[in-house]
Amino acid sequence: MTQSPGQGQALDNLLTESRTFPPSAEFAAQANARPELYEEAKADREAFWAKQAERLHWETKWDQVLDWSNAPFAKWFVGGKLNVAYNCVDRHVESGHGDQVAIHWEGEPGDSRAITYAELQREVSKAANALASLGIGAEDRVAIYMPMIPEAIFAMLACARVGALHNVVFGGFSAEALRTRIQDSACRLVITTDGQYRRGTPAPLKPAVDEAVAGAPSVEKVLVVKRTDTEVAWTDKDVWWHELVDSQPDQHTPEAFDSEHPLFILYTSGTTGKPKGILHTSGGYLTQTSYTHHNVFDLKPDTDVYWCTADIGWVTGHSYIVYGPLSNRVTQVVYEGTPNTPHEGRHWEIVQKYGVSIYYTAPTLIRTFMKWGADIPAKYDLSSLRVLGSVGEPINPEAWIWYRENVGGGKAPIVDTWWQTETGAIMISPLPGVVSTKPGSAQRPLPGIGAKVVNDEGVEVEHGGGGYLVLDEPWPSMLRGIWGDEERYRDTYWSRFGEQGFYFAGDGAKYDDDGDIWLLGRVDDVMNVSGHRISTTEVESALVSHPTVAEAAVVGASDATTGQGIVAFVILRGGAGDDAGGAEAIKALRDHVAKEIGPIAKPRQIMVVPELPKTRSGKIMRRLLRDVAENRAVGDVTTLADSSVMDLISAGLQSDKSED
Ligand code: PRX
């Protein structure tokens, strides 16, 4: 929720929640994480992180754990060299686990494929050789725009193997969104598919790439995986994956790169219209994703079956499908499709089929499962599940309890994990087996992580108090900047509490009486829709780029399923919207936003208004618009330049509330 911490619904709700669930003695006895971890990290933070880095194979060991002399640009494990893909694949084969299944892939139409570590090594090697044959090597940027198929993971690991940076763009983004992300980082290659399955039917994907590439001159080649057998237009830049990759040798010698060698760029929404290319590097990132995956999910590589339901288009897919889990020799499920295709029990059917023991998902999906009914999971054998995770937005206590009872059999610990694209890995979460969990709270920073809640002046608030979440110590998987924009990096994250040297996360938070942290949502103009970050400005720019729109203001309103829903207020140009209730004009606008950004950014509701509420200095007062969007009495209007505007808005609303 976008609201000032210390006031409003979320806080009131949370205050009534006081249940705690201690870990069972049985779970605690076998847990990877021990209470001593907290002590160890506190005693010597750098020594602690050095020990965690030993989880990996280093070709050359580092000579300095952390160099923070050029803050806010950190260097971790300085002088160390490693190959990230070797750590995620080859070393498991070399240690005798080549026959272990790495990926149980489940396609949406019901096809499936089990990929062992030995096979993964061959596939990644072939893909790496293919990249090399296209002249792609260290520091080159490669865009990956694909559905959740094994080749997407091969492609990411192949980039890591040759030292190229991947720039994964979510397959639900539009051609225009893809083009800006390709152009900003000047990608030389795009890897994509002919099409993707969407709720049981094949939908073309390559036409969006063709459109994007037409406006992105840096792209030399497009590598296309055949997934749906959809007929596609062909250009002289296009190469079929099955022709190029499958004819490559299946051996490839990985080169060790510097610990600070860039690993990937991932674009995320900020408070302006232009997405930020978040840059991550190798050694520190892999150390923290590996450490957190091991301790937070309690992974036992010989017996567990892990499933993270995210898409690789988001950071959760990067850190908790690809890098963390594979570095820990996971056996995991990767599912291509939507949770209700072909029926609403699909996830539970998959859990039963593979005996999934660790399941990591988002609150919005848990609330959707709640809507579909507890009788659906009840039809399946979910007794294999022993750890449940949540990520992406605050989880409301009701959903938490439902998850525990109906998915976790009333016993599996739930880890509510707070982190961001920028943090690269989990930062705040209970450790299962150590911490008594509390529904709705992410609780405490992990061992080795510094986080606190501060007031406007940067002073830590008392227990029971609310304020802003900051990170007060550099951490290994922290972003190393915004691609091509050092100033924006400093401004966005390091200026709000510059004096104190804190990283400002953009989230409101509070401490309860025990000092546990409760997240309260964004305090800036970023919305959180189904766990995805979308900036109000980005949607506004899309709206005003349509010829019928004179002005637009967008707010995130609370939504029972998606956390927040996008609500737009638009002033139309003369004549537009004169049709029956403005319905056609509104539909055209929703489609336009889908085209500019992607269907996930389509406003839930568009209201045509005669004016927007502005202060005397011309700043739109979103607080008032949020009141309207959430059907509340409109708050204090005294700072409005024209206080009658809100009456005008309420009186003349034409609105459309379709839900596709
Ligand atoms: O507002 C917080 C929310 O998601 C934001 C980060 O979004 P993104 O970079 O897309 O990464 C999402 C997946 C890591 C945060 O600033 N958020 C994420 N996890 C939680 C959360 N809010 C509350 N509780 C969480 N567990």
Side-chain angles (χ1 to χ4, degrees), residues 19-342:
R19 286 168 284 192
T20 63
F21 296 88
S24 70
E26 198 189 349
F27 192 100
Q30 60 82 62
N32 290 348
R34 302 277 146 189
E36 304 83 76
L37 270 187
Y38 289 103
E39 309 307 318
E40 259 179 60
K42 217 162 150 191
D44 188 341
R45 230 173 65 85
E46 290 191 16
F48 173 83
W49 281 118
K51 191 169 160 194
Q52 304 315 319
E54 301 282 1
R55 304 180 56 78
L56 308 177
H57 172 85
W58 295 82
E59 206 51 49
T60 309
K61 202 175 157 179
W62 61 88
D63 30 56
Q64 188 184 356
V65 176
L66 167 67
D67 177 1
W68 190 229
S69 60
N70 188 29
F73 295 90
K75 284 191 179 140
W76 281 87
F77 309 112
V78 186
K81 282 189 192 307
L82 80 173
N83 185 286
V84 168
Y86 173 85
N87 272 281
C88 293
V89 184
D90 306 60
R91 67 171 170 145
H92 306 319
V93 179
E94 289 170 15
S95 67
H97 298 93
D99 292 337
Q100 179 182 335
V101 173
I103 297 170
H104 284 294
W105 178 75
E106 189 76 12
E108 195 188 75
D111 47 342
S112 64
R113 181 174 171 192
I115 300 156
T116 63
Y117 274 98
E119 206 177 337
L120 186 61
Q121 185 184 35
R122 290 193 292 272
E123 296 291 350
V124 174
S125 297
K126 284 193 287 183
N129 285 322
L131 292 183
S133 78
L134 295 174
I136 300 291
E139 314 262 353
D140 284 327
R141 273 84 60 199
V142 175
I144 297 179
Y145 183 64
M146 294 171 90
M148 288 293 288
I149 57 173
E151 287 82 357
I153 297 173
F154 306 158
M156 289 168 76
L157 290 168
C159 287
R161 198 171 180 98
V162 303
L165 290 73
H166 52 70
N167 164 14
V168 183
V169 180
F170 174 56
F173 275 130
S174 68
E176 179 54 19
L178 174 63
R179 186 189 62 76
T180 56
R181 284 160 177 77
I182 290 176
Q183 254 191 327
D184 187 70
S185 46
C187 296
R188 293 181 57 199
L189 175 70
V190 182
I191 309 181
T192 189
T193 60
D194 51 352
Q196 60 180 338
Y197 286 100
R198 283 271 127 219
R199 299 181 197 285
T201 34
L205 191 62
K206 184 162 179 294
V209 176
D210 294 342
E211 196 182 325
V213 168
S218 62
V219 176
E220 295 158 27
K221 289 282 175 207
V222 178
L223 189 53
V224 189
V225 176
K226 194 176 266 190
R227 169 61 185 139
T228 52
D229 231 343
T230 310
E231 185 117 4
V232 291
W234 209 244
T235 76
D236 55 8
K237 291 188 177 178
D238 299 337
V239 187
W240 282 115
W241 176 286
H242 60 262
E243 286 174 6
L244 181 71
V245 177
D246 290 351
S247 60
Q248 299 293 323
D250 63 7
Q251 294 197 349
H252 175 271
T253 309
E255 179 189 339
F257 294 101
D258 194 90
S259 176
E260 283 301 327
H261 187 83
L263 181 63
F264 67 84
I265 301 168
L266 182 60
Y267 286 84
T268 187
S269 294
T271 50
T272 72
K274 189 173 176 247
K276 301 176 285 200
I278 303 300
L279 176 67
H280 283 287
T281 59
S282 305
Y285 173 82
L286 197 62
T287 296
Q288 196 177 328
T289 50
S290 181
Y291 153 74
T292 51
H293 182 256
H294 173 78
N295 287 295
V296 174
F297 297 109
D298 195 46
L299 181 89
K300 308 284 191 283
D302 294 327
T303 47
D304 274 317
V305 178
Y306 166 88
W307 182 14
C308 165
T309 70
D311 189 285
I312 48 143
W314 311 111
V315 74
T316 308
H318 286 58
S319 302
Y320 296 104
I321 293 178
V322 182
Y323 295 109
L326 293 174
S327 72
N328 289 335
R329 186 167 53 82
V330 78
T331 292
Q332 72 178 321
V333 168
V334 172
Y335 173 52
E336 180 186 34
T338 41
N340 52 353
T341 306

Side-chain angles (χ1 to χ4, degrees), residues 581-647:
E584 266 172 45
I586 288 171
K587 180 175 182 307
L589 289 182
R590 297 180 77 246
D591 292 346
H592 180 69
V593 173
K595 184 173 171 294
E596 290 293 305
I597 307 172
I600 48 164
K602 259 191 193 181
R604 177 187 82 184
Q605 197 174 357
I606 294 182
M607 306 202 194
V608 177
V609 293
E611 285 297 339
L612 289 171
K614 288 184 185 158
T615 60
R616 272 165 216 105
S617 62
K619 194 170 179 304
I620 294 174
M621 291 192 67
R622 292 164 201 286
R623 176 170 57 79
L624 300 179
L625 293 175
R626 257 193 310 273
D627 288 341
V628 175
E630 293 177 345
N631 298 318
R632 262 195 312 271
V634 172
D636 184 6
V637 295
T638 48
T639 51
L640 279 181
D642 172 2
S643 61
S644 65
V645 164
M646 290 315 294
D647 298 333

Side-chain angles (χ1 to χ4, degrees), residues 309 316 359-371 389-400 402-403 414-417 440 528-532 559-564:
T309 70
T316 308
Y359 178 80
Y360 188 29
T361 195
T364 184
L365 191 57
I366 298 166
R367 289 191 295 266
T368 303
F369 291 141
M370 285 173 77
K371 260 201 316 212
S390 171
V391 62
E393 55 175 312
I395 176 165
N396 46 313
E398 295 78 355
W400 195 101
W402 189 94
Y403 195 26
I414 298 180
V415 287
D416 176 3
T417 62
N528 188 326
V529 182
S530 299
H532 299 140
D559 185 289
T561 306
T562 60
Q564 283 192 307

